[in-house]
C-alpha cells in the first residue's frame, strides 16, 4: 500500500520518553508517564508487512528515547528532519497566522511540528486495550483477544485479521517473582487509511448503541474525588485513531527493589489473516444517532466536510463544566462572563485526561463553543441548558443615591462570593499574566471594583417619571461607591490570600496535597499543581537514590568546590557524583528543596548564586535558579534588576511580592554589596511591611515568594548574611561562555519536572518521618522550620551544612571589614578609655577609617550611635550617657573576644 508508513521520533527534549514505575510504601506499583515531545529528530520508515513491523517494534520497545507517530509527514521524504513544537516553529518561520503542516525549510534545515493538517494517516492502526475508570471488572479482566471478539459486532473482522501484538509498558514491569502481563497493544493493517477517521466516529456510536461502552467518570479539578460528569468509553481506546497521536512504547524504567522489566513479546497473531477491511465503514445514520442520544443524553452530529469528518456534541458541555486554562479552573459560565464575542481561550479539554491545553474555547454570537483538537470533537451547549442559563440572570444591585454606603455594603456581599477575589492587605483579584504565562495578584482600584461589580451584578437606579411613577434603569456603578467599598474593611468579607503556587502543599506530618484553587489551611491559591507519586514511607535507600538522581541531573554546573571528572568522549568535565557533595553543591540541593517547600514554609532563607567578578559571566547562575523554579513551580521566576539605587530596587521587589508571584530572581547584581531593609524584613517577618509602588501607602503582607539573587562579585551586607544561603560557581576558565553543552537544559528540566519533583519530595518526606532522630545542623535563627524541612534531611544524607558559610560570608562584608578596621585603629590609638566624639575626631588615623571624605563630627556621632553594642573583631562598642539634659555621651571599646586583647603598639 502507498500509506504503509510510520514515523519514528527520537526525542531530545525530554531525553527519555519511557514510563517510570516504582513501588509505594504499601507495595503497589505506581506509574509516571511523559506526555509530550518538544524537540527531536524524526525519520519515516516504510513498513510493508507484519514481519517488518515486528522488527521495527522490537527496536523501538528496547530504547528509552523513541516514540511512534503512525503516518507520514508531508514533504518528509526519506531523510531525517527536526521535530519542534508548534510554538517554536511559529517563532522560527516568523510568519503570522497558522503554522503550516508538514516539513518546512528554515535556514536550510528541514523542520516540522506535529500538526494533524500536515500528516497523512498510516494504514497501520493501533489497538490499545486500556482500563479507564469506571470499566466493569469483568471487562478489565478480559484479554485482548476476548475484547476484540466482543467488538466483532461493530467492527467485523477485527478479531480474525492478521495483527501484531505486544505488551504495553505496564505489562512489561514485573514485581518480584510475578509474571509479566499479557499483550495490551496490537497493530492491524487496514484496507483504507483514509477511512480511519470515519471509523473512529462510527465505531464510537455503534459501541454505545450495542452496549459495548460504559460511562467513565470525570473528576473535579478543584474538589478531588467529586464526579462532575462522564464520557463514554469502550473495550479499547478509540481516541488513539486520531491522526498524529503519539504512541509511547519505549522500554519502561522499574525503580523498586525486586522490580524488573521484560521484553515486549512482539509477535504476529492470525498470520495470513489479511488486512482489516474497513471499506464498508459509513457514517452513523439519523436512527443510530437518535439511539445514541437516548442512551447518553448527548446529541451527536457527524458530517463529512470534504476529506474531513466533523463531529459536534451537544449535551456533554454544560454551564457548570469545569475548564482549566493556564492554571486557573473556572466553570464555563465564569469563563464566558469574562469573554466577548469572537474571543478565544486556549484551555485543557474537560472530557479526557490531558495537560497539553489541546482545546480552544470560543465565544460566538450563538454561544460558547469548545473544540478538542485531540479527538476533533466540537462541543456546544444543549439548547435546553442554554435556555435555562439565560433565565439565571445576574442579581440586581440597587444604587441608593440617598445612602451610597448601603450600596457599598450590598456590593461587598456580592463580591465576597466571587471565587477569584481575596483580601491581601486589601481587596485583590487573582488574574492571569499572559506575558509570563502565570497567575498574579492585582490590587483592586476603583475602576477594578466597578468592573467586578458589573461582572457579578446588574447595578440599577430608581428613576422617578414625570407622572410620579418609578422605573428601574440599569446604570454604571458610581466611582464613589467603589471608593466607599475599598475604604470599608468590614464590607469586604473576602478570604485571606498569602500567595500563589504551582507546587504541592506540604504539611509537617509528611502529607502532600495536590490542591487546585483556594486552600484555606495555607491561604494559598493553587494552580496547575501536579499529583506526584511519592512513597508513603520512604526508606533511607530510596532517599539516597533520589539524591543521586538529582545530583546527576545538575552535574554539569560548575559548583566551585566540587570535584569534577572528564566525560567519556570529550566535553566539559562534570561533578563527580561518586564523591560526597561539596559545600556549593550541598547548598544548591538545599536551595532546590527550599524552592519546592517555600509555599508551605512560614519563613525561609533566600538564595544567592554568585561567581567571580571578572570571569563569572556565563557560568550558569541564572540557569541554575530557573531550573530550580522549573521543578518547583513548572514556570520561570519573575526577573528584576537592581537599578541604580537601593530605593529603586526595593520598589521593584515589593511589586513582585505584592503580586504574590511564586518566585523572583534579582538578576545580575554585579560587583556590589547587597543591602536591603525590605529583603531583610520579607525574609524574617510575617507579616512584613512594604510600600506600594508609586504610593506612600504601607502594606503588611505574608510573603511566600521564593527569593533569589545572582551576580558576579556580589557581597551580602551584615543584615542579610544570616538570611541567605550562598552558592559559588567557578567554571575554572577565563572564558566560561566558550564552553559547549548539548541540548536545552531548561527544556529538559521542565519535561522531567514530575520525576525531579518526586525525588525532591521523597527526600523531604523521608526527613519528616525521622522526627527527632533527624540530626540538627547549625541554628539558623528565625528559620527553624526551614532547617528541619530543607537543610537537615540533606545533612543526614551526607551533604554539608549550608550555614557553615555564614562566618565566611560575614567576613566578606565590606561594611563589617570597615568597622573591624575602625575598632582596631581606635584600640591602637585610644585604647579602652571612654572618650567623646570630639576626642576621636582628634585622631586623624581613626577618623580617616570611618569618615574618609571628612563629613565632620555630626556624621561621626551618627555612626557611633548606630553602631552602639556592635561586636566586630573581638571588640564591643559601648556608650556611656552623659549626666543631665545636655551631658555628652562617651564611647569606649570593650574586649569581648577570646583570650587577651591585642597589644597596643607605640606609634612613632
Amino acid at each position: 500500500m502507498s500509506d504503509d508508513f510510520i514515523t519514528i521520533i527520537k526525542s531530545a527534549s525530554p531525553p527519555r520518553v519511557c514510563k517510570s514505575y516504582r513501588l509505594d510504601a504499601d507495595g503497589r506499583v505506581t506509574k509516571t508517564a511523559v506526555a509530550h515531545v518538544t524537540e527531536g529528530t524524526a525519520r519515516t520508515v516504510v513498513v510493508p508487512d507484519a514481519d517488518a513491523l515486528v522488527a521495527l517494534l522490537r527496536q523501538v520497545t528496547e530504547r528509552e528515547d523513541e516514540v511512534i507517530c503512525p503516518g507520514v509527514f508531508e514533504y518528509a521524504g526519506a531523510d531525517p528532519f527536526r521535530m519542534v513544537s508548534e510554538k517554536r516553529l511559529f517563532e522560527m518561520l516568523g510568519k503570522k497566522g497558522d503554522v503550516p503542516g508538514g516539513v518546512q525549510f528554515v535556514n536550510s534545515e528541514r523542520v516540522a511540528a506535529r500538526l494533524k493538517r500536515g500528516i497523512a494517516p498510516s494504514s497501520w492502526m493501533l489497538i490499545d486495550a486500556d482500563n479507564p475508570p469506571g470499566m466493569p471488572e469483568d471487562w478489565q479482566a478480559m484479554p485482548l483477544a476476548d475484547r476484540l471478539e466482543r467488538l466483532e459486532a461493530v467492527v467485523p473482522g477485527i478479531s480474525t485479521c492478521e495483527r501484531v501484538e505486544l505488551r504495553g509498558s505496564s505489562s512489561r514491569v514485573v514485581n518480584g517473582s510475578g509474571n509479566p502481563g499479557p499483550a495490551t497493544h496490537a497493530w492491524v493493517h487496514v484496507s483504507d487509511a483514509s477511512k480511519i477517521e470515519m471509523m473512529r466516529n462510527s465505531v464510537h456510536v455503534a459501541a454505545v448503541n450495542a452496549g459495548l461502552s460504559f460511562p467513565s467518570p470525570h473528576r473535579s479539578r478543584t474538589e478531588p474525588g467529586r464526579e462532575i460528569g462522564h464520557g463514554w468509553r469502550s473495550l479499547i481506546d478509540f481516541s488513539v485513531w486520531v491522526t498524529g497521536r503519539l504512541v509511547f512504547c519505549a522500554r519502561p524504567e522499574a525503580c523498586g527493589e525486586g522490580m524488573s522489566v521484560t521484553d515486549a513479546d512482539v509477535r504476529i497473531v492470525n498470520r495470513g489473516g489479511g488486512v482489516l477491511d474497513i471499506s464498508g465503514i459509513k457514517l452513523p445514520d439519523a436512527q443510530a444517532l437518535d439511539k445514541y442520544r437516548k442512551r447518553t443524553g448527548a446529541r451527536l452530529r457527524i458530517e463529512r466536510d470534504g476529506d474531513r469528518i466533523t463531529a459536534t456534541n451537544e449535551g456533554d458541555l454544560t454551564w457548570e463544566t469545569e475548564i482549566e486554562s493556564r492554571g486557573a479552573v473556572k466553570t464555563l459560565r465564569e469563563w464566558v462572563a469574562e469573554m466577548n464575542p469572537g474571543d478565544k481561550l486556549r484551555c485543557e479539554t474537560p472530557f479526557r485526561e490531558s495537560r497539553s491545553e489541546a482545546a480552544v474555547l470560543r465565544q460566538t454570537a450563538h454561544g460558547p463553543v469548545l473544540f478538542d483538537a485531540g479527538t476533533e470533537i466540537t462541543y456546544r451547549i444543549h439548547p435546553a441548558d442554554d435556555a435555562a442559563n439565560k433565565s439565571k440572570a445576574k442579581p440586581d444591585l440597587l444604587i441608593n443615591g440617598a445612602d451610597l454606603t448601603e450600596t457599598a455594603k450590598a456590593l461587598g456581599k456580592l463580591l465576597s462570593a466571587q471565587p477569584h477575589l481575596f483580601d491581601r492587605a486589601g481587596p485583590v483579584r487573582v488574574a492571569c499574566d499572559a506575558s509570563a504565562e502565570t497567575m498574579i495578584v492585582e490590587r483592586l482600584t476603583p475602576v477594578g471594583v466597578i468592573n467586578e461589580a458589573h461582572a457579578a451584578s446588574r447595578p440599577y437606579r430608581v428613576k422617578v417619571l414625570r407622572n410620579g411613577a418609578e422605573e428601574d434603569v440599569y446604570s454604571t456603578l458610581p466611582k464613589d461607591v467603589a471608593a466607599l467599598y475599598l475604604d470599608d474593611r468590614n464590607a469586604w468579607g473576602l478570604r485571606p490570600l498569602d500567595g500563589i503556587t504551582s507546587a504541592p502543599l506540604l504539611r509537617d506530618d509528611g502529607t502532600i496535597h495536590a490542591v487546585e484553587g483556594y486552600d484555606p489551611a495555607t491561604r494559598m491559591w493553587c494552580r496547575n499543581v501536579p499529583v506526584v507519586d511519592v512513597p508513603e514511607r520512604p526508606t533511607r535507600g530510596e532517599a539516597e537514590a533520589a539524591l543521586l538522581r538529582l545530583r546527576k541531573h545538575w552535574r554539569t554546573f560548575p559548583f566551585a568546590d566540587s570535584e569534577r571528572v572528564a566525560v567519556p568522549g570529550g566535553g566539559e568535565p562534570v561533578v563527580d557524583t561518586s564523591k560526597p557533595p561539596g559545600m556549593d553543591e550541598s547548598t544548591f540541593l538545599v536551595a532546590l528543596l527550599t524552592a519546592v517547600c517555600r509555599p508551605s514554609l512560614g519563613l525561609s532563607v533566600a538564595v544567592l548564586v554568585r561567581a567571580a567578578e571578572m570571569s563569572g559571566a556565563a557560568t550558569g547562575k541564572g540557569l541554575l535558579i530557573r531550573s530550580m523554579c522549573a521543578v518547583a513551580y513548572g514556570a520561570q521566576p519573575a526577573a528584576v534588576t537592581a537599578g541604580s539605587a537601593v530605593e529603586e530596587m526595593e520598589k521593584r521587589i515589593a511589586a513582585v511580592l505584592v503580586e504574590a508571584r511564586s518566585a523572583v530572581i534579582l538578576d545580575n547584581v554585579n560587583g556590589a554589596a547587597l543591602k536591603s531593609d525590605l529583603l531583610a524584613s520579607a525574609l524574617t517577618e510575617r507579616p512584613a511591611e512594604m510600600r506600594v509602588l508609586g504610593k506612600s501607602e504601607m502594606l503588611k503582607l505574608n510573603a511566600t515568594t521564593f527569593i533569589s539573587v545572582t551576580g558576579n562579585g556580589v557581597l551580602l551586607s551584615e543584615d542579610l548574611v544570616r538570611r541567605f544561603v550562598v552558592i559559588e560557581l567557578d567554571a575554572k576558565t577565563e572564558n566560561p561562555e566558550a564552553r559547549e553543552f548539548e541540548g536545552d537544559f531548561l527544556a529538559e528540566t521542565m519535561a522531567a519536572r514530575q520525576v525531579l519533583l518526586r525525588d525532591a519530595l521523597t527526600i523531604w518526606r523521608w526527613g519528616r518521618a525521622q522526627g527527632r532522630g533527624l540530626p540538627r545542623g547549625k541554628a539558623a535563627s528565625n528559620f527553624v522550620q526551614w532547617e528541619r524541612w530543607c537543610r537537615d534531611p540533606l545533612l543526614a544524607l551526607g551533604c554539608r551544612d549550608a550555614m557553615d558559610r555564614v562566618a565566611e560570608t560575614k567576613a566578606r562584608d565590606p561594611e563589617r571589614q570597615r568597622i573591624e578596621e575602625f575598632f582596631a585603629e581606635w584600640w591602637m590609638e585610644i585604647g579602652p578609655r571612654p572618650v567623646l566624639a570630639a576626642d576621636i575626631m582628634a585622631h586623624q588615623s581613626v577618623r580617616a577609617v570611618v569618615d574618609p571624605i571628612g563629613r565632620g563630627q555630626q556624621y561621626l556621632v551618627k555612626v557611633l550611635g548606630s553602631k552602639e553594642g556592635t561586636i566586630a573583631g573581638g571588640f564591643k562598642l559601648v556608650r556611656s550617657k552623659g549626666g543631665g539634659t545636655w551631658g555628652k555621651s562617651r564611647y569606649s571599646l570593650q574586649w569581648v573576644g577570646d583570650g587577651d586583647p591585642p597589644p597596643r603598639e607605640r606609634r612613632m
Side-chain angles (χ1 to χ4, degrees), residues 164-344:
V164 176
E165 287 189 358
L166 67 155
R167 298 187 183 109
S169 297
S170 298
S171 292
R172 298 179 64 182
V173 176
V174 179
N175 184 10
S177 59
N179 296 317
T184 54
H185 286 182
W187 293 83
V188 297
H189 214 172
V190 299
S191 59
D192 186 352
S194 67
K195 285 202 167 187
I196 293 178
E197 281 289 301
M198 183 187 297
M199 177 181 175
R200 176 171 59 84
N201 289 284
S202 177
V203 172
H204 168 67
V205 173
V208 169
N209 293 344
L212 296 175
S213 291
F214 60 92
S216 182
H218 299 311
R219 309 288 184 186
S220 169
R221 296 180 189 260
T222 58
E223 299 178 40
R226 182 170 72 90
E227 290 189 16
I228 58 172
H230 59 266
W232 287 83
R233 305 288 296 273
S234 187
L235 290 156
I236 61 175
D237 184 2
F238 302 138
S239 69
V240 299
W241 295 348
V242 174
T243 302
R245 286 285 291 266
L246 294 182
V247 180
F248 291 87
C249 56
R251 180 179 178 84
E253 176 189 34
C255 307
E257 186 175 352
M259 296 178 68
S260 60
V261 176
T262 188
D263 64 24
D265 190 25
V266 186
R267 53 195 175 88
I268 298 175
V269 177
N270 297 336
R271 182 181 283 277
V275 301
L276 175 62
D277 185 3
I278 60 174
S279 60
I281 290 289
K282 297 180 180 179
L283 292 178
D285 57 22
Q287 184 177 1
L289 291 175
D290 185 59
K291 186 175 181 180
Y292 179 92
R293 178 186 59 80
K294 292 177 180 178
R295 283 183 174 269
T296 66
R299 185 162 60 186
L300 190 64
R301 185 171 68 252
I302 303 175
E303 300 171 333
R304 182 191 293 274
D305 181 11
D307 294 333
R308 296 178 61 245
I309 303 296
T310 63
T312 304
N313 177 303
E314 291 181 351
D316 285 347
L317 182 67
T318 72
W319 288 105
E320 305 310 317
T321 298
E322 289 182 358
I323 296 174
E324 178 179 353
S325 177
R326 294 183 177 177
V329 180
K330 302 179 186 180
T331 63
L332 175 65
R333 187 191 312 279
E334 292 169 330
W335 282 119
V336 169
E338 302 174 4
M339 301 173 69
N340 296 314
D343 285 355
K344 295 181 181 181

Side-chain angles (χ1 to χ4, degrees), residues 6 8 43 45-63 66 68 124 163-166 172 187 249 263-268 271:
I6 284 179
I8 304 297
R43 70 183 193 277
V45 181
V46 180
V47 187
D49 53 35
D51 288 302
L53 181 60
V54 167
L56 180 63
L57 290 173
R58 284 175 177 168
Q59 170 191 316
V60 174
T61 56
E62 289 303 316
R63 296 183 62 93
E66 289 188 345
I68 293 175
W124 289 104
R163 64 179 183 268
V164 176
E165 287 189 358
L166 67 155
R172 298 179 64 182
W187 293 83
C249 56
D263 64 24
D265 190 25
V266 186
R267 53 195 175 88
I268 298 175
R271 182 181 283 277

Side-chain angles (χ1 to χ4, degrees), residues 352-366:
R352 57 188 177 88
E353 291 297 326
S354 173
R355 306 300 297 177
S356 58
E357 291 199 338
V360 176
L361 175 64
R362 291 187 295 117
Q363 175 67 307
T364 72
H366 303 290

